[in-house]
Amino acid sequence: MDTTLRLSQHPEADELLGRSPLAALVGMLLDQQVPMEWAFAGPYTIAQRLGADDLDAHAIAACDPEEFAALLSRKPAVHRYPGSMAKRVQQLCAYLVEHYDGDAAALWDGVGTGAELLGRLKALPGFGEQKAQIFLALLGKRLGVRPEGWREAAGGYGEAGVYRSAADITGPESLAKVRAHKQELKAAAKAAKAPKAPDG
């Protein structure tokens, strides 16, 4: 895995995402309740603060939880909720150490089908169905990981020519399109929840 991603819009952070399977996974984990660029810059910030040029699942899993939370909380914070996200990052790394010897790429190396890969992603701490499908689409569209049936397993996120998620971002223009799509979804959800005026 060594490609160019444009998710943080920060060259060094994007370079790390493109060459480090664990950084890409951690970025996806952080991608909630904060702007996407902030989330995907997180792995680079964590690596920098650990004095490393990549993330190491064994090292992160072994960190003192309070020290690791403090590392993510330092200004500028890695996430809006640095304490809880520090815990999630450590849980993710501990899971990878236990099940994949700390090698994030082992999640998809040699996997037979998209459905199997989706199942592996959903088993990760902090990855629900939607996050797993988006990451599966990201692997297929941007990183060349394309087991049989990967588009179907990724659902709507796997479709070609759409601007729905991190999987569809190749630069500022597509980022703006994905952001507009998300805003439309939010507006539609809000409208659906609004109390309807009585008839007559």
Side-chain angles (χ1 to χ4, degrees):
M1 175 169 156
D2 194 357
T3 189
T4 305
L5 293 177
R6 303 252 189 270
L7 296 171
S8 74
Q9 309 294 305
H10 176 291
E12 289 89 350
D14 282 338
E15 187 272 332
L16 176 62
L17 294 170
R19 69 177 159 84
S20 168
L22 180 55
L25 262 185
V26 169
M28 190 74 237
L29 179 70
L30 294 171
D31 186 22
Q32 58 189 63
Q33 298 176 298
V34 293
M36 197 182 298
E37 307 95 302
W38 184 3
F40 281 99
Y44 178 75
T45 304
I46 294 169
Q48 290 269 292
R49 291 179 184 176
L50 288 169
D53 66 355
D54 194 359
L55 300 182
D56 180 318
H58 290 274
I60 291 172
C63 273
D64 175 89
E66 286 186 12
E67 287 179 14
F68 192 66
L71 187 95
L72 269 67
S73 302
R74 198 188 308 161
K75 297 272 193 281
V78 166
H79 194 275
R80 181 175 292 153
Y81 304 107
S84 60
M85 294 314 287
K87 188 175 177 182
R88 287 193 180 187
V89 171
Q90 285 198 288
Q91 287 170 339
L92 173 66
C93 289
Y95 182 91
L96 291 171
V97 167
E98 184 181 346
H99 296 275
Y100 296 98
D101 195 26
D103 179 10
L107 269 165
W108 52 83
D109 282 348
V111 73
T113 66
E116 184 186 347
L117 178 50
L118 182 65
R120 289 185 181 190
L121 291 168
K122 281 166 63 176
L124 295 171
F127 277 67
E129 174 97 17
Q130 184 184 41
K131 198 177 278 286
Q133 285 190 318
I134 291 171
F135 194 77
L136 176 50
L138 178 72
L139 286 170
K141 291 179 177 182
R142 302 283 156 249
L143 300 171
V145 177
R146 295 170 183 152
E148 186 183 341
W150 71 271
R151 284 192 190 275
E152 292 78 5
Y157 301 109
E159 292 174 21
V162 297
Y163 295 96
R164 289 189 178 140
S165 73
D168 304 308
I169 293 169
T170 54
E173 191 181 329
S174 47
L175 174 65
K177 289 181 181 178
V178 168
R179 187 152 281 145
H181 172 73
K182 290 188 172 189
Q183 283 166 348
E184 282 169 26
L185 290 182
K186 272 187 186 169
K190 199 173 178 182
K193 279 186 186 169
K196 290 185 171 51
D199 292 332

